[in-house]
Amino acid sequence: MKDLLYNYYGIAYNSLVKHDVTSVECVEIKFEIKDKEDQIVCKKGNGISVFSNPRKKKITIIDFEDYINKWRGQAGQGKRCDFILYDDVDYVVLNELTTCQERFLDNHYRDGREVTGKRSHAICQIQESINKLCHVPEIDDYIKKKPNKVGLFSYKIKEDANVANEVNNTMAQFRSVNRIYENVSSSNVFTKGFVFEQRIYPEAFNFK
């Protein structure tokens, strides 16, 4: 995937320019990543997205947002997810990360207006990333060969102290937390065979 981005992404968008692709490789049994940091892979407890890799596969992690930000014109327009993770054979994962208070995950109201929630925003980021990648014939062919194509929304709950104090030890809080903390999987969200998955920190996505 890294080489395909470097060699063919620009060509598909009518440009002869090539941009370097920032990436790291990881073979750890369990690892965490975080966006907008110098180091993509971070220490336990500091990340937003957690991955389990029991077979110690070589997982390549591309900073996709950083890569798209280097482009001008159509190649750099629109939404994009934070990272692409993949192994040699089985997986390609488009990962969008966020940290927010629980009440902002779904659509909510601000100053009387409905505001799109973080989850819906992440789904748009991932779908537009799928569109960008599959616009490149060589990358589209590569993705088609992967048996596991995943759009992963990873989030870390930032506690709202005021709300927590008001509802502490109530059944309402218990039901809300259990609803939010569910890990979800759906094949009806994305195109191109991608399956939607969500994980709340510190629950891990598993590279089986």
Side-chain angles (χ1 to χ4, degrees):
M1 175 74 85
K2 179 180 177 180
D3 291 341
L4 294 175
L5 280 171
Y6 180 77
N7 289 312
Y8 298 110
Y9 186 82
I11 293 173
Y13 288 94
N14 301 313
S15 174
L16 297 178
V17 175
K18 293 183 178 180
H19 289 297
D20 290 334
V21 182
T22 301
S23 67
V24 296
E25 294 177 352
C26 187
V27 295
E28 301 295 324
I29 292 176
K30 198 167 188 177
F31 61 93
E32 302 185 11
I33 64 175
K34 189 175 184 179
D35 59 333
K36 299 178 177 63
E37 298 286 345
D38 293 335
Q39 299 293 327
I40 295 173
V41 179
C42 54
K43 294 181 180 179
K44 181 180 179 181
N46 292 336
I48 296 175
S49 192
V50 183
F51 296 89
S52 173
N53 184 23
R55 295 168 59 186
K56 293 188 176 181
K57 297 181 177 185
K58 183 180 75 172
I59 306 297
T60 301
I61 309 165
I62 291 174
D63 190 336
F64 189 58
E65 182 175 31
D66 171 75
Y67 179 70
I68 296 299
N69 286 344
K70 295 175 181 178
W71 289 92
R72 296 182 178 181
Q74 185 183 3
Q77 293 176 353
K79 297 178 173 62
R80 72 293 311 262
C81 64
D82 293 309
F83 296 108
I84 301 172
L85 298 91
Y86 63 95
D87 65 357
D88 291 335
V89 178
D90 298 312
Y91 284 90
V92 58
V93 178
L94 307 187
N95 192 194
E96 177 66 16
L97 286 63
T98 194
T99 301
C100 68
Q101 295 173 2
E102 177 186 324
R103 59 197 172 103
F104 296 132
L105 278 171
D106 293 312
N107 290 5
H108 53 281
Y109 286 89
R110 182 185 301 160
D111 299 328
R113 294 184 177 182
E114 187 174 14
V115 179
T116 301
K118 293 287 187 178
R119 184 183 289 106
S120 295
H121 181 72
I123 288 171
C124 290
Q125 302 277 90
I126 294 169
Q127 181 59 62
E128 289 203 27
S129 299
I130 294 170
N131 297 343
K132 283 181 179 295
L133 292 169
C134 293
H135 178 73
V136 184
E138 293 81 2
I139 296 178
D140 188 36
D141 289 341
Y142 174 84
I143 289 174
K144 285 177 180 176
K145 296 175 183 176
K146 295 288 187 180
N148 298 291
K149 297 178 277 287
V150 178
L152 176 64
F153 173 42
S154 302
Y155 57 94
K156 198 172 192 176
I157 294 296
K158 182 188 297 182
E159 184 178 359
D160 184 335
N162 293 328
V163 172
N165 288 336
E166 290 174 5
V167 300
N168 190 33
N169 295 326
T170 67
M171 288 302 294
Q173 182 192 38
F174 177 80
R175 287 192 297 269
S176 176
V177 169
N178 275 275
R179 175 179 60 83
I180 290 296
Y181 276 60
E182 289 178 345
N183 293 321
V184 174
S185 177
S186 175
S187 59
N188 300 318
V189 176
F190 300 124
T191 61
K192 298 289 185 176
F194 277 81
V195 175
F196 173 70
E197 300 272 355
Q198 71 174 23
R199 296 291 185 276
I200 184 164
Y201 188 89
E203 289 296 322
F205 176 87
N206 186 22
F207 288 103
K208 297 179 180 178

